[in-house]
Amino acid sequence: GINQPMTNEQKQHQQLVLNFLDAPTGYGKTTAIINKVNREIPEGYFGNPKRFLVVTPFIDEVTRICKETACTAPIGNKSKDIQTLLADGENICCTHSLFNLFSTETLEIISTGGYSYSLIIDEEINVISDIMGNKTIRNKENPSLIESYSKKDFEILIKQEQISIDPLTKKISWNDDYSYDDGVFDDLRKRLEIVDLFRFGSGLIQMVKRELWECFNEVTICSYRMKESYLAYYCRLSNIGINYQHIENGVIVNGYLPLKPKKLDRIKLYPDQRNKECSYSKYWYQQNIKKDFISKAAKQLTADFRKFKETFVPKGVDKSLYFWTCYKGYEKALAGKNLSKNKWQPCNIKATNKLVACCIVGYFVNRFANVNVKRFLKDTGGIIVNEEELALSELIQFVWRSNIRTDDLNDVYVFIAADALLNNFSEWLKDE
């Protein structure tokens, strides 16, 4: 029998479950995705409504997946083109940034178009965040004003009855009786179509709507160490079930396997702890690196990295093959004779193979959860964020962009500035 797309009523009664394909970096998740699409979309699929939408972080991955499967990538005005492709029942591959802009109209096409779309997302997308005052997440295609809203703006919105805020859940609703077309607040109205917003603490919590997942016949999200991720917390908060999966011989199968990446013995950690009292948190950066001032501790950090390259990394290794990270916005200030700005990478980088030649890694941050998101999860869902796990997972992803991804036999030399993080990583490497 052909899988008929479910009616909305059937979807209501059915528990929503997402597949979490949890496998270490380098275990062939993208290959497994390609195999799944090719196996489940047989030749001449006339009469079979099953289709795939594959979402991946980078455009070169989109190109690769389209080359190796029957998927098509949207072109031109991509938000419009993807609607056409969905209405035509094409198999599609697009980037995270395009997927994050899906409008109610796009979701409507998926739900009612007569095709049964399965969604596969390679690497986690951002499902919960605090967007107020966060200038860095502005989308260049769709510049948004919300990030610069103030407390006063919300007071005006409530007073004018343009929005209401649920006293219990803090969820914001737009008052549809209010016709309003001036750009400033229209942005909020549009955003509320795509995401749920909560006025919480001093911030604005943005969460992906549950309805997004309900449009799809099946949802699979592929990443590593997902048990204590924001995505897992989000599912718990939104009453969404999780079905863990892993890879066997290039095929996705059900069940959780607590695997580690291969070749761990190739990682050589610099043990020589310098500034033990420095946290290297965002706050530390704000205090130590200002417009016209760089503290002694911050200068020491880059000097230590140079010393690590000169003394710890063996003579034969090309010292120019390195990449490093610090919080975005501080890379210019830190770069200089000890660090090239061109070799900086964002600390949350994932799913790229462009750094595989590098055998030297500098990690100058220790990430902590956003305080407002942390409180929101605790207050609304009783969920305690495991910050050590989040920081460690991000570090592992970062280190695995290096030559360790390949089958080369090179050692990879890693400099971790934060003492606590170095110890956690070192324990994790030893832990069998």
Side-chain angles (χ1 to χ4, degrees):
I2 286 170
N3 314 351
Q4 283 303 323
M6 284 193 290
T7 66
N8 281 342
E9 203 177 1
Q10 284 170 312
K11 283 181 188 169
Q12 294 296 309
H13 290 299
Q14 202 186 40
Q15 158 75 24
L16 180 60
V17 176
L18 306 188
N19 297 318
F20 278 19
L21 171 58
D22 195 307
T25 41
Y27 263 68
K29 287 192 285 283
T30 312
T31 307
I33 291 169
I34 289 167
N35 293 345
K36 180 177 167 77
V37 173
N38 288 336
R39 205 178 49 252
E40 294 184 25
I41 299 287
E43 287 298 302
Y45 54 138
F46 182 72
N48 176 358
K50 179 152 194 177
R51 298 292 185 272
F52 279 100
L53 170 62
V54 182
V55 181
T56 184
F58 300 106
I59 207 82
D60 50 359
E61 287 289 294
V62 171
T63 310
R64 174 190 165 189
I65 289 166
C66 288
K67 212 157 83 189
E68 297 183 34
T69 64
C71 289
T72 306
I75 51 171
N77 177 342
K78 293 181 180 177
S79 295
K80 275 272 167 271
D81 192 38
I82 201 159
Q83 292 184 346
T84 310
L85 294 173
L86 288 162
D88 291 347
E90 294 289 347
N91 292 298
I92 303 161
C93 184
C94 74
T95 58
H96 282 192
S97 52
L98 180 61
F99 180 71
N100 289 336
L101 297 173
F102 272 22
S103 62
T104 351
E105 201 183 337
T106 310
L107 299 182
E108 188 68 17
I109 295 168
I110 298 168
S111 300
T112 59
Y115 297 98
S116 183
Y117 271 95
S118 291
L119 174 66
I120 301 177
I121 302 181
D122 192 8
E123 293 305 342
E124 276 178 49
I125 58 165
N126 199 351
V127 286
I128 179 166
S129 52
D130 183 4
I131 61 169
M132 200 138 141
N134 187 348
K135 304 286 184 287
T136 56
I137 63 165
R138 291 194 175 179
N139 186 304
K140 286 186 185 63
E141 280 178 52
N142 288 35
S144 162
L145 302 162
I146 294 179
E147 286 79 17
S148 45
Y149 283 5
S150 66
K151 221 166 143 179
K152 208 163 192 65
D153 289 320
F154 279 97
E155 284 164 13
I156 293 167
L157 282 160
I158 293 166
K159 203 170 161 188
Q160 295 181 346
E161 295 184 1
Q162 279 172 252
I163 62 167
S164 56
I165 297 180
D166 184 306
L168 209 62
T169 62
K170 307 284 183 268
K171 190 172 169 182
I172 298 173
S173 305
W174 185 267
N175 178 1
D176 284 329
D177 301 338
Y178 200 101
S179 71
Y180 185 82
D181 43 51
D182 176 14
V184 188
F185 294 136
D186 202 39
D187 208 41
L188 180 68
R189 183 182 61 77
K190 286 194 189 117
R191 182 77 69 102
L192 282 166
E193 285 185 10
I194 316 176
V195 294
D196 288 329
L197 293 173
F198 302 83
R199 183 79 179 105
F200 184 83
S202 58
L204 189 61
I205 303 287
Q206 171 172 297
M207 257 171 58
V208 169
K209 281 183 186 290
R210 194 192 155 95
E211 292 89 275
L212 172 73
W213 315 112
E214 288 172 342
C215 301
F216 295 95
N217 180 44
E218 179 189 44
V219 177
T220 306
I221 300 168
C222 319
S223 194
Y224 179 43
R225 295 169 59 84
M226 295 170 81
K227 284 208 153 165
E228 293 289 337
S229 63
Y230 281 120
L231 192 61
Y233 299 148
Y234 161 86
C235 286
R236 276 161 60 188
L237 196 62
S238 311
N239 189 25
I240 296 171
I242 298 171
N243 173 45
Y244 282 95
Q245 299 180 320
H246 62 277
I247 296 170
E248 275 174 28
N249 308 320
V251 177
I252 299 170
V253 291
N254 286 333
Y256 181 76
L257 265 194
L259 294 172
K260 278 180 148 174
K262 306 168 186 126
K263 312 179 278 273
L264 292 184
D265 53 330
R266 282 170 49 195
I267 288 186
K268 302 297 175 232
L269 272 184
Y270 187 46
D272 193 14
Q273 258 318 320
R274 293 94 7 217
N275 300 338
K276 277 193 194 292
E277 68 292 343
C278 296
S279 69
Y280 302 105
S281 64
K282 188 80 169 269
Y283 181 73
W284 181 88
Y285 272 83
Q286 287 164 354
Q287 297 307 304
N288 285 271
I289 302 170
K290 298 183 174 163
K291 226 186 191 116
D292 38 16
F293 160 79
I294 290 195
S295 74
K296 205 167 134 197
K299 285 180 182 151
Q300 187 62 44
L301 174 63
T302 65
D304 285 337
F305 184 65
R306 187 180 67 191
K307 185 180 158 209
F308 146 82
K309 285 201 299 180
E310 286 168 358
T311 60
F312 185 74
V313 180
K315 289 271 182 287
V317 178
D318 183 344
K319 302 292 198 308
S320 70
L321 292 176
Y322 71 91
F323 61 101
W324 64 284
T325 194
C326 67
Y327 287 101
K328 193 171 168 52
Y330 294 96
E331 64 273 21
K332 261 202 197 100
L334 272 184
K337 60 179 191 301
N338 299 327
L339 280 175
S340 158
K341 187 178 160 300
N342 300 338
K343 297 183 187 294
W344 177 86
Q345 295 291 335
C347 55
N348 59 354
I349 190 170
K350 289 180 174 184
T352 180
N353 293 321
K354 66 181 182 193
L355 302 165
V356 292
C358 298
C359 292
I360 302 169
V361 181
Y363 199 79
F364 307 156
V365 299
N366 189 8
R367 296 262 275 175
F368 294 90
N370 173 289
V371 178
N372 220 26
V373 171
K374 201 165 97 174
R375 279 188 33 228
F376 178 77
L377 286 165
K378 187 169 183 289
D379 288 8
T380 50
I383 294 162
I384 306 295
V385 171
N386 185 332
E387 297 200 68
E388 279 184 10
E389 272 292 301
L390 287 173
L392 185 58
S393 293
E394 201 164 81
L395 167 66
I396 292 165
Q397 284 281 3
F398 191 83
V399 172
W400 256 263
R401 298 306 112 209
S402 70
N403 190 257
I404 195 93
R405 294 183 75 69
T406 67
D407 291 327
D408 300 350
L409 300 172
N410 306 325
D411 284 336
V412 171
Y413 302 90
V414 182
F415 174 104
I416 297 168
D419 192 38
L421 191 56
L422 175 69
N423 294 335
N424 284 347
F425 188 53
S426 164
E427 284 304 306
W428 178 78
L429 287 173
K430 284 195 289 235
D431 234 10
E432 269 320 307

